Every structure is written in structure tokens, then in C-alpha cells.
Amino acid sequence: MKIKSLKLREAHKGSANASFCSILWDLNAHHLVTASSSEPSISIHDPLLPSNPPRVLRHHRDGVTALALSPNSTCLSSGSIDHSVKLYKFPGGEFETNITRFTLPIRALAFNKSGSMLAAAGDDEGIKLINTIDGSIARVLKGHRGPVTGLAFDPNGEYLASIDSIGTVIYWELQSGRTLYTLKGVAPDTGSDTSILNVLSWSPDGETLAVPGLKNDIVMYDRDTAEKLFTLRGDHTQPICFMSWSPNGKYMATSSLDKQILIWDVNRKQDIDRQKFDNRICCMAWKPIGNALAVIDVMGKYGVWESVVPSSMKSPTEDIPSSRSKNSNGLLFFDEEDEEDQELSMSGSLSDLGEDSHGESEPPSRKRLRKQSVIDDDQHEDVYNELNLCTKTEYRKKVHRINKESSDKERDGSRSMMTFRPKMQEAFQPGSTPPQPGKRNFLCYNMLGSITTIKHDEYSHIEIDFHDTSTGPRVPPMTDYYGFTMASLNENGSVFANPCKGEKNMSTLMYRPFSSWANNSEWYMRFEGEEVKAVALGGTWVAAVTSLNFLRIYTDGGLQKHILSLNGPVVTAAGFKDELAIVTHISDCLPSNEQMLEFRIFNISKGTQPFKGHLPLTPGSYLTWFGFTEEGQLSSYDSKGVLRVFTSQYGGNWLPLFSASKERKSGENYWVVGLNASKLFCIVCKNPDSFPQVLPKPVLTLLNLSFPLASSDLGEEALENEFMLNNLHLSQIQKRIEVMADEGLDTTPLDDEAFDIEAAQDRCIFRLIASCCNGDKLVRATELVKLLSVEKSVRGAIQLATALKLPILAERFNNILEERLQSKTEVLKTSLPRSKHDRNVKADVAASMALTATERSEILEPTFSSSSAKLSAPLLIKKVKSSDRVKFGKPKTDGDQTACLEDSREVNDAGKNAGPSQVKNLQTQRPSNPFLKLPNNQEEKKVEEVMSESQSQGPSNPFFKSSNKVGEATGIQQSHRPSNPFLKSTAK
């Protein structure tokens, strides 16, 4: 037999590894649709003009693993690794809706004959049957143990067949949702390779189900009894990975791991043609009009094999069963029962009705006769006569069923349209990963350590590991007979829980401390008729939230302390020291697919609830991580990659501090572990993975936190982001200082930390002021000067405005400085006597509470300037860091507190362009300017005279480290000014 050669063209670039790709024809063969699990896009090609670029749909954020077209080709559905199922108009490609969402990747989609129902399944447990008219979930079918990789609706509308990755096939009865037959181990086990998917397919007449066999063959099973009928076995040397019936059901195309496609004559059980390829063909589709087969390989290359069936044989589109060839009414979606009513009203004869029937299953006599017709074609005439007799019985069954259900439809019609709501997010445990057969998965992964488990036949094996083995205790492995699926971990112990399991259907909660003075310190709690949904740990307590919306709080010794009722089903929980945070649903999802969530923060030791409110999420997203920062700030992360941190500002609000869309590279997913004040700790997962594997050990990646700022007209987004982060950290520290002061605790360490942040903030603000001056944003510059903490930073801003020849702005800055000095005088008058006579520490703190950390340190230990210059305001006070006072007994130089300034040579440039009178005026009204370069030799004497005259009229400039000549001329000693670490001096 001659082997042909088919040239393929690239549809999807794909990755270096094999990926599962999909290909579909539309009803009239006008378009080809392709997708790849390595790309988030869908391509719609014109097969008549393959050189034209395809129409590309980009709505998924991860690889597309499944495609399905409604029978009338007006609706396209896609499933993805990003867990969503989307609907589009076809062929235009306009996005319609996210019709459902899973917690794991989708692997299979299928429309029923009428297009009124869409089946979706994947790595999650359960097959969702979705009503495409209103988007409601009609039923969830559960029974598979492995990921579901193939779905097929019986063309007669009674059954759904499904297959999983471990080779199990299940027949489902659609009306009741029950399992009719389960065929275990009849197909190959594909393992964890997601580029190979077990598939199955009904024959166009709905009488035979084709399944890949264990002997590199195709096995045909009977529709009604699931009995094995016959096999197609030929020259495939490796397992079958895909199959496709011709439109008339007379031929079948099969592709194998051996990179071959074989074309079969099903009745004769012989292969009639074949094709060899460079890569494995993972998907095929017969052309609905014509003798052709579209194929696509695992590298994303596609092509059309013309003249598949030899011209001497019957065409693959000849004698198509009428149930398959009948056109729809052109609606995007329509109800299956309505279609049946139309068929009854439009039928011309009983025989036509029998052929087009979508009702009850046919009598056994018809099935047996059909099986004989496959074997002996000479009995065709007798079969036809018997078939006409059977149609009368089938007609009566159909009329009875329609009459019975019509009233139910009228009653439920309006209700079904009103019940469309996206599915509410199920409960999850932060830091956990879904179980995988034969592999370890995380029950908990946080900043402290991890808890992993692997399931065996009768038990599971649990291990607890700490990231820092030098500080964390060594915890021996544990044999788990309860089947724990969630856990939480802190430095004191670990808590475990499982869903309802066993004959008594009871859920178990277990706490295991790492160290205890008593033996048998572990304890268990059992819940009958109640299931634990989330657990959390604190300093001295254990919490569990159950399916009855109960929050149960225990001491670490096992005492049942509190039981609270929550407002809705729990989503997740997290603990930190005395604080417990709970997230619950407060209502069904919005029609826009937005989750309606509420959070509560409890203080367990005080028995209070400090905060409660709505938990914000990015529109269309769901919560993926929830917990506390290392400093104790509550945080959340959603599926769109936005991290938020809760702050008590403005009465309690969530601040967006990170957006993955701006950080991650193509093909990356971030799995959050935790965060501190400045960094996000996560594990970077490569597509298609959305969570890490236990082995090899995951590597933590640190990402900078940043606000999602708009593009600034200054072009200084980095500085503005630093400014906002410093403000956030400073407000958090000041809040902690207030709390500690109220409790009578020493706040010195926090004062030092606030001092450092204020100094860093001044440097940041000064750079922003310079940008505003250069960008002619003078009002903004004035606003920024008011935010400076250190007076010398304000003087530096005055000199900056002077150097840039902005005298009006410099005057405004000078007024701000004088107002600040005046207000400080009033504070000193009231606070210094108090500190002299009143030894009460709380009273001193209360007197200076309105000031910044640096100003409080000034009041507690003032040091006056030794300068002899006359000021229009009181003498300035040097800033002293509290830790320096304690350790060294003297303040640090003011250079550590000042903003970053430029080289003093800039002073000369300004001096060259200014007359003596102008220089004199500036020197007498404002501090000396370090930005102005010194004049040349001819003008130097004039400047020296001016500066000498101004010595007694204005304050000395702490920012200006002058040259030797100017220092001698002015009589200003270098020791009278603190050195500026940011300023290089110039010496002549």
C-alpha cells in the first residue's frame, strides 16, 4: 500500500514539549478552529485561503485544552488550564460569557445534539452538565477516580459517555443522572502526560460506542448493554490516542502514539489507507461536506488530508443518518424538548419519526436486529420491516413523555431563567495543593514550613518539614488513617482535618503540638453530620469552620471554648498570634461572575471583633490565598494576580500592593506562600501547572511589592510607589507605637524604626520635589515640601528652588519652614516643662503624640544649635535617634536624616548668571545654596563679600560644605555644620 505525504502548516507555536492541540470543522466546512494547551489563544482559519492570517481569540490566560462547537455552529466553547469554560458567538468570535469555572484545569467539553446542554470535565472531581440557555448547572456527575479526559453525548439524547486517564468508561443516564455501566480498565492508562488524552466517540447513529483498547486497537461497545461487539485491530504498534467517525459512520480514522493515522472500513473491519507523520497526531476532524480529514499534531501544526477514502468506495458523506444531517432552526441555543416538539409536528410519517427519534431507548428487538444487520447485509429488508413496527411503540412512548413533561416545563420555565448564577467558590485551605494519584501533595505550605502527604491503599503518610532546620523542631513522620485533606502549621504545632469519611460519615479534627510537658498531648474531635471545611492556628488556640457555618474555637490543650455562628458558607481561614480571620460568602455570585465575600477579624484572647467588611476581589476572579504578613497584616491574593493588604486607615480598607500582570512573564503562574513589609514570597509555576509539586523541592521567589499606579505625568512611578509604601509602613508602625504606649510598654525599638523610615521618606520626597520643579509642577512641589519631616530637608528644598531660578516657589518654601518652626516653639513651651517636672512616661507620650517619631525624640532630648546667626524663628533642634542616645550618648550627624543633594559645584553655575545684588538678596533672605557653583576668580571676591555681610543676617546652611576660600571669607567653621553624605565638596 502506497503511503502518502501530507504537508502541515503551523497554527500554534507551542512549546518545546508536546502539547495537546484541538481542531474542529464548522457545520458547513467554512472554517477550521484550532487551539493548543501551550497557548491561551484560539485560531479560526479559512480552509479555502490557508495563507490568510487566522482570526485569533484571546480571552483565556492559560493554554486552551478543549474545544466544542454547537451542532448548528453558532456557539463555540473552550476550556482551559486557567480553570474556566467560556462561550463565544461563531463564526464572529465575540466573547459571550464565562459559563462555569473549575478549581483545576479542564480537559473535555461536549455539546448535546440540540446545543441546549454543555458537558465539561477535567482534573476536578465531577462532570458538570450546564444549561446553555441560562448558564445554570443542571447536574454534577461524580464517579471517576482520575481526571476525565473524554466526553460524548449519545446522538439520541439519552446517554452521556465519559472516560478518564486511568482507562475507566462510564455510561450515564441523563434524565436521572445515575450510572448505568462502569467499565474499569478497558482503555490505556495515560498517566500524568497531559498531551495524551483518552477519548471515546459515539457512532453517528448512536448505536455503538468506540473506545481505545489495551491492545493498540479500537473496541466497539453496544449502546444499551455496554457489551463488547467487535474490535478494529491493524498495524498500529502503540496505543490509540484519538479517533473520529466519518459523517455517515461507515469509516473511522484513528491516530496512535506510533505517529500513524489509519483509515478504517468499519463494516469490513479493515484499514483502507494510512499516513505517517513526523509528530504524533493528537486530534482529527472529518470534513462535514466532502471527502477530507483535518489533522493537528502535538507541535501545533495542522493540515487537511484530501481524498481520504478511495474514489472507488462510497463517500464518507453519503447516506448520512437523518438524525445527524438534519439542520437546526438557526438559534444560538434552543431547548432539546422544543426540538422534539418540532420533530413531532413536522413529521410526515411514522417511519420518519422513528429515524429521527430522540426519545426513549428502542425495544430490545430492534437492537438485536441491528446487531444482525452488521453481520449479514442480506437481512436488511427484514430488519426494515421490523423497524417500522417498532416505530409505533416508540412514538407512543415519546408522546407520553412529552405530555408528562410539558406541564413541568411550563411551570419551571420562568424559574430556570431566574436561577442563572455563577457557582460560588468552594472552601479551600491556604497553601494546600490538590491530591494527585501516586504523588505527594501539600496539605500546608507557609513561611515557616510545609506539611506533605501521599496516599497509599489503606492509609496516608504525612511529613512535616521546616524551611529553617536549625530553629524548627524535628517532627517525626505520621501515619494517617483518617485521610486528612487540610492542615495548618505554626511554631507551636499543627492541626489536621478531613471531610466526612467512613461508615459513620464523620469528620475528624486533630491537633498535634511539637513539644509538651505532658504525655499524650495530641487530641481529636469528631463531628457527626458536620464537616470541617477550613482550619487555622494561633498562639494558644485552634479554630475549625464547619459545613453548618459554625466557627469552633479550642484551646491548644483541647478545651472547647467558643462556638460562633457565621453569616454564610466558609471560604477559608487564617490565624496569627491572637488574631483569627475568616472569609465567608454573604450571597450568591453576581451575574458578572463576581464572588460576594465577607471577612471578619477576631481577637481570640480579648473576645472581640475589631473589623468586619466586604472582601474585595478583581471582577471575575476568585480568592486563591489568604493569610497574614510576617508583621501581622491581613492579606489576600485572587486568581487575577492582585495582592491586597488590609489597613486600618479610613476605617479599615484593602490596599492593592501587587499585580502579577505587570510582573510575570509569559507562561508563568505565581503560587503565593506569604509576604513581609516589602517582599512577596511565591513559587513560580510554568504552564500548564498552577501549583507546585512536592518533588523537586520548590524554590521560593521574592518579588517587590508595588502599588498599581497610573502612568505619572512626571514619569516617576518608582519614586511615587516608594513614597506610598513608606507612608503605609510608617502608619503601621505608628499604630503599633500607640498600642504599646497604651499598654505601658517600651516603644524605643519602634521609635528607631520609624526614625529610619522618616529619613528614607524625606530622601524620596526630595527627589520628587526636584522632579516637580523640573517638570513645572510647582503646586505639587509645595504639597510635597509640607510632608518633609526634617527641617534641613525643607532648607534643601528652598535652595533647590533658588538654584532653579524659581524665587516665588522658594519664598513659599521659606514660609512653610517658618510656620513649622513657629509651631514647634509652641510645642516646646508646653512639653519641656512637663518633661522636667512630670516623670510620668505616659504623660510625655501623650504630649508629643501629634508629632513624628523624629520630633518626639527632639522633645525628649533637645540640643540647640551653636550657630550665632539670627533667625526669624526659634533655634532649630538637632534630631537624635533614640538608639544613638542610648548607645553613644550623642546624636548622629544630621546628614543621615537629610535628603539627597547634588554636588556643590552647581552653586557656581547659578552664581555666574546672577548679579551681586541678586546673590546678596538671596543670601540675606534664605540659607546658602549648595546647588550653586562658586564663581570664577574675577567674581569670587564679590561673592565672598556678600556672604560675609550675610553671615549675621541669615542662618548657616547645614547642606553647604563650602570651599576653603569661602569658608575663610564668611568665617563659618566646617565643624559648625554636619557633614552631608550625599554631597561631594569642592576645594580650591
Side-chain angles (χ1 to χ4, degrees):
M1 185 180 297
K2 183 179 179 180
I3 300 179
K4 302 177 182 179
S5 176
L6 175 63
K7 185 178 180 180
L8 303 181
R9 67 173 59 239
E10 187 177 83
H12 301 274
K13 292 183 179 180
S15 61
N17 300 323
S19 305
F20 182 81
C21 301
S22 308
I23 191 165
L24 295 173
W25 285 100
D26 69 343
L27 181 65
N28 299 314
H30 292 160
H31 302 89
L32 269 174
V33 188
T34 61
S36 170
S37 62
S38 63
E39 283 189 358
S41 60
I42 301 169
S43 297
I44 303 176
H45 308 265
D46 185 346
L48 298 178
L49 299 171
S51 60
N52 287 357
R55 183 185 300 115
V56 180
L57 311 181
R58 293 187 178 92
H59 295 280
H60 286 288
R61 60 181 181 84
D62 219 327
V64 179
T65 51
L67 292 176
L69 261 176
S70 61
N72 59 2
S73 293
T74 58
C75 180
L76 173 67
S77 176
S78 63
S80 169
I81 297 172
D82 66 10
H83 314 165
S84 66
V85 178
K86 302 181 185 293
L87 292 183
Y88 315 83
K89 290 182 179 179
F90 193 84
E94 296 86 355
F95 175 73
E96 284 287 304
T97 182
N98 288 313
I99 197 166
T100 192
R101 183 176 288 278
F102 287 71
T103 59
L104 292 174
I106 288 91
R107 302 294 176 190
L109 296 171
F111 279 102
N112 66 348
K113 177 177 172 55
S114 66
S116 63
M117 185 176 292
L118 175 67
D123 296 352
D124 277 40
E125 181 185 3
I127 303 167
K128 291 184 181 180
L129 301 182
I130 308 160
N131 188 341
T132 55
I133 298 174
D134 57 14
S136 60
I137 307 297
R139 200 182 299 277
V140 179
L141 309 176
K142 294 186 178 182
H144 284 283
R145 287 181 166 269
V148 177
T149 57
L151 296 169
F153 278 100
D154 143 42
N156 293 331
E158 288 186 75
Y159 306 141
L160 172 71
S162 60
I163 187 171
D164 58 31
S165 62
I166 60 176
T168 300
V169 175
I170 299 181
Y171 281 51
W172 306 90
E173 186 181 56
L174 291 175
Q175 187 172 2
S176 63
R178 65 187 180 94
T179 301
L180 292 178
Y181 304 104
T182 301
L183 310 178
K184 294 185 178 181
V186 298
D189 187 339
T190 61
S192 59
D193 188 351
T194 55
S195 69
I196 305 171
L197 300 182
N198 272 335
V199 296
L200 74 177
S201 181
W202 290 98
S203 60
D205 61 2
E207 299 300 329
T208 307
L209 180 67
V211 178
L214 300 175
K215 299 180 180 179
N216 308 333
D217 56 358
I218 296 292
V219 182
M220 304 293 182
Y221 293 92
D222 182 70
R223 161 192 170 82
D224 296 298
T225 65
E227 296 174 355
K228 182 177 178 179
L229 299 177
F230 59 92
T231 63
L232 300 179
R233 186 179 304 166
D235 291 339
H236 280 307
T237 59
Q238 294 187 51
I240 305 294
C241 59
F242 201 83
M243 71 191 74
S244 180
W245 290 91
S246 66
N248 61 3
K250 297 184 182 297
Y251 308 103
M252 173 175 279
T254 59
S255 66
S256 166
L257 301 184
D258 60 13
K259 303 179 183 178
Q260 285 191 100
I261 292 181
L262 266 58
I263 307 299
W264 299 84
D265 184 324
V266 177
N267 289 339
R268 293 194 299 169
K269 306 179 187 62
Q270 290 182 350
D271 58 295
I272 58 176
D273 205 347
R274 69 189 62 188
Q275 181 91 250
K276 185 76 174 178
F277 293 88
D278 295 333
N279 293 292
R280 184 174 75 247
I281 299 299
C282 55
C283 189
M284 302 175 291
W286 285 86
K287 191 174 183 179
I289 302 173
N291 182 11
L293 181 72
V295 301
I296 190 168
D297 65 18
V298 292
M299 304 309 293
K301 294 183 178 180
Y302 82 106
V304 178
W305 181 359
E306 301 286 353
S307 302
V308 180
V309 176
S311 57
S312 60
M313 302 181 68
K314 185 176 292 188
S315 169
T317 57
E318 186 179 347
D319 297 334
I320 297 177
S322 57
S323 60
R324 176 67 181 256
S325 63
K326 186 170 67 175
N327 292 327
S328 68
N329 58 9
L331 297 175
L332 178 62
F333 299 121
F334 50 95
D335 189 75
E336 185 173 336
E337 297 297 331
D338 292 339
E339 184 193 28
E340 294 183 23
D341 291 341
Q342 292 171 7
E343 290 173 2
L344 284 177
S345 62
M346 298 174 65
S347 309
S349 65
L350 294 179
S351 61
D352 292 339
L353 176 64
E355 292 176 5
D356 295 342
S357 173
H358 300 276
E360 300 286 338
S361 60
E362 58 193 1
S365 57
R366 177 182 175 185
K367 180 191 65 180
R368 296 273 79 83
L369 291 171
R370 183 207 55 75
K371 291 169 70 175
Q372 292 177 10
S373 67
V374 175
I375 301 171
D376 188 0
D377 291 338
D378 294 337
Q379 298 179 2
H380 175 74
E381 188 175 354
D382 295 334
V383 173
Y384 181 76
N385 293 334
E386 184 70 25
L387 196 62
N388 283 334
L389 294 175
C390 295
T391 56
K392 297 179 180 180
T393 304
E394 194 166 342
Y395 171 74
R396 286 193 295 269
K397 289 183 178 181
K398 173 170 283 190
V399 171
H400 173 73
R401 181 164 65 105
I402 291 175
N403 290 337
K404 179 179 181 296
E405 294 180 355
S406 60
S407 59
D408 295 336
K409 286 181 59 183
E410 292 174 359
R411 182 176 62 253
D412 297 338
S414 59
R415 182 176 61 183
S416 65
M417 293 299 294
M418 297 298 294
T419 57
F420 164 61
R421 292 190 185 278
K423 185 178 180 182
M424 293 194 302
Q425 179 179 356
E426 295 181 357
F428 73 95
Q429 190 69 29
S432 66
T433 59
Q436 297 175 283
K439 292 184 179 181
R440 282 193 169 274
N441 67 282
F442 289 109
L443 294 180
C444 175
Y445 193 108
N446 58 23
M447 300 286 282
L448 182 66
S450 64
I451 303 177
T452 62
T453 183
I454 185 170
K455 182 174 177 56
H456 299 287
D457 292 337
E458 301 295 332
Y459 65 93
S460 297
H461 183 76
I462 292 179
E463 293 183 359
I464 300 177
D465 298 298
F466 292 89
H467 302 317
D468 187 353
T469 56
S470 62
T471 57
R474 186 183 180 280
V475 183
M478 180 177 71
T479 301
D480 167 28
Y481 293 99
Y482 295 96
F484 293 128
T485 59
M486 65 194 82
S488 186
L489 171 72
N490 67 7
E491 59 275 3
N492 299 324
S494 54
V495 61
F496 302 86
N498 68 340
C500 293
K501 186 180 179 181
E503 296 179 357
K504 296 184 179 179
N505 202 30
M506 299 180 71
S507 184
T508 303
L509 177 74
M510 185 191 85
Y511 177 69
R512 187 185 189 191
F514 294 142
S515 61
S516 177
W517 59 270
N519 295 326
N520 195 24
S521 55
E522 295 181 0
W523 51 264
Y524 296 82
M525 296 289 166
R526 305 296 296 273
F527 305 94
E528 188 171 0
E530 188 176 3
E531 186 174 60
V532 177
K533 293 293 186 180
V535 294
L537 275 179
T540 58
W541 51 266
V542 178
V545 190
T546 70
S547 57
L548 297 183
N549 299 342
F550 287 166
L551 169 59
R552 297 178 175 271
I553 301 174
Y554 306 86
T555 64
D556 52 7
L559 176 65
Q560 303 191 50
K561 196 171 182 181
H562 301 289
I563 303 178
L564 307 178
S565 290
L566 301 176
N567 290 345
V570 68
V571 178
T572 191
F576 179 81
K577 296 183 179 179
D578 285 340
E579 291 189 334
L580 167 65
I582 304 288
V583 178
T584 59
H585 291 281
I586 53 177
S587 71
D588 289 336
C589 300
L590 296 179
S592 58
N593 198 26
E594 293 185 55
Q595 302 285 329
M596 300 301 294
L597 305 182
E598 178 185 71
F599 78 97
R600 292 187 179 192
I601 302 177
F602 299 94
N603 189 299
I604 303 302
S605 62
K606 297 180 180 179
T608 60
Q609 180 180 291
F611 289 102
K612 169 186 175 182
H614 178 70
L615 179 68
L617 295 174
T618 306
S621 69
Y622 54 93
L623 188 64
T624 58
W625 182 85
F626 187 72
F628 288 87
T629 69
E630 290 188 333
E631 294 77 21
Q633 297 295 123
L634 188 60
S635 310
S636 70
Y637 186 79
D638 63 32
S639 59
K640 297 288 187 181
V642 177
L643 175 78
R644 294 174 175 86
V645 174
F646 183 75
T647 174
S648 58
Q649 293 177 337
Y650 297 100
N653 270 281
W654 291 85
L655 305 180
L657 279 184
F658 178 82
S659 178
S661 61
K662 294 186 177 181
E663 293 286 339
R664 65 183 168 200
K665 301 176 183 177
S666 177
E668 287 184 349
N669 295 312
Y670 294 153
W671 193 76
V672 174
V673 173
L675 67 153
N676 59 19
S678 60
K679 299 287 184 180
L680 173 67
F681 294 75
C682 66
I683 296 171
V684 178
C685 301
K686 300 294 183 181
N687 285 340
D689 297 328
S690 57
F691 54 86
Q693 302 293 328
V694 175
L695 296 174
K697 188 175 181 180
V699 178
L700 280 179
T701 299
L702 276 66
L703 301 174
N704 292 322
L705 298 180
S706 62
F707 286 91
L709 301 178
S711 297
S712 172
D713 52 2
L714 289 176
E716 296 289 354
E717 288 85 358
L719 281 176
E720 291 174 332
N721 183 75
E722 181 185 348
F723 167 74
M724 293 183 67
L725 284 175
N726 286 338
N727 278 340
L728 175 63
H729 299 161
L730 194 58
S731 68
Q732 294 172 353
I733 291 174
Q734 289 172 347
K735 182 70 174 178
R736 289 158 59 190
I737 289 175
E738 292 176 8
V739 173
M740 293 179 66
D742 291 340
E743 297 174 354
L745 302 176
D746 181 22
T747 62
T748 299
L750 290 179
D751 283 333
D752 292 343
E753 188 175 351
F755 182 93
D756 292 336
I757 294 177
E758 286 177 354
Q761 183 71 323
D762 268 19
R763 290 191 290 271
C764 176
I765 292 174
F766 197 91
R767 291 194 292 270
L768 281 173
I769 292 172
S771 296
C772 289
C773 291
N774 290 326
D776 199 26
K777 305 295 180 184
L778 305 185
V779 175
R780 196 179 310 173
T782 307
E783 294 171 344
L784 287 166
V785 166
K786 295 178 181 179
L787 301 177
L788 290 168
S789 303
V790 184
E791 290 84 351
K792 292 178 182 179
S793 300
V794 181
R795 290 197 183 98
I798 295 172
Q799 296 158 14
L800 174 64
T802 303
L804 297 175
K805 299 182 180 180
L806 300 171
I808 297 177
L809 184 65
E811 185 65 34
R812 286 185 175 272
F813 288 178
N814 192 60
N815 293 338
I816 293 172
L817 176 61
E818 292 181 356
E819 290 174 3
R820 176 173 295 191
L821 294 174
Q822 183 64 34
S823 63
K824 181 161 291 189
T825 301
E826 298 174 359
V827 173
L828 287 172
K829 287 180 181 178
T830 57
S831 61
L832 286 176
R834 176 185 293 272
S835 62
K836 182 177 180 181
H837 301 290
D838 189 354
R839 301 301 181 185
N840 191 326
V841 177
K842 286 189 176 182
D844 288 338
V845 173
S848 59
M849 191 62 70
L851 301 177
T852 64
T854 53
E855 290 168 339
R856 286 197 296 272
S857 64
E858 295 166 10
I859 293 170
L860 292 176
E861 189 172 327
T863 304
F864 295 98
S865 173
S866 59
S867 173
S868 61
K870 297 180 181 180
L871 300 176
S872 59
L875 295 175
L876 299 180
I877 302 169
K878 292 185 178 179
K879 310 221 176 333
V880 183
K881 188 173 179 179
S882 57
S883 60
D884 295 334
R885 292 197 305 271
V886 175
K887 294 179 182 178
F888 305 107
K890 61 180 181 178
K892 280 190 177 182
T893 62
D894 290 329
D896 294 336
Q897 311 164 21
T898 60
C900 181
L901 302 178
E902 298 294 334
D903 196 287
S904 63
R905 291 194 182 121
E906 296 182 6
V907 178
N908 294 335
D909 294 336
K912 291 178 182 179
N913 300 321
S917 60
Q918 187 177 355
V919 173
K920 180 178 179 180
N921 184 47
L922 291 175
Q923 291 293 336
T924 55
Q925 294 183 16
R926 300 177 185 84
S928 58
N929 188 353
F931 292 94
L932 298 177
K933 289 187 177 180
L934 290 175
N936 54 29
N937 293 332
Q938 297 176 355
E939 298 178 350
E940 189 174 87
K941 293 182 180 180
K942 295 182 180 180
V943 177
E944 291 175 357
E945 293 174 0
V946 170
M947 296 185 70
S948 177
E949 293 174 1
S950 64
Q951 179 182 0
S952 60
Q953 300 179 18
S956 61
N957 183 2
F959 283 98
F960 185 24
K961 191 171 184 180
S962 64
S963 64
N964 293 337
K965 289 186 176 181
V966 176
E968 293 171 2
T970 58
I972 299 175
Q973 299 285 333
Q974 289 296 326
S975 59
H976 289 172
R977 303 180 183 86
S979 60
N980 188 347
F982 301 100
L983 183 60
K984 293 182 180 179
S985 64
T986 57
K988 269 205 169 181

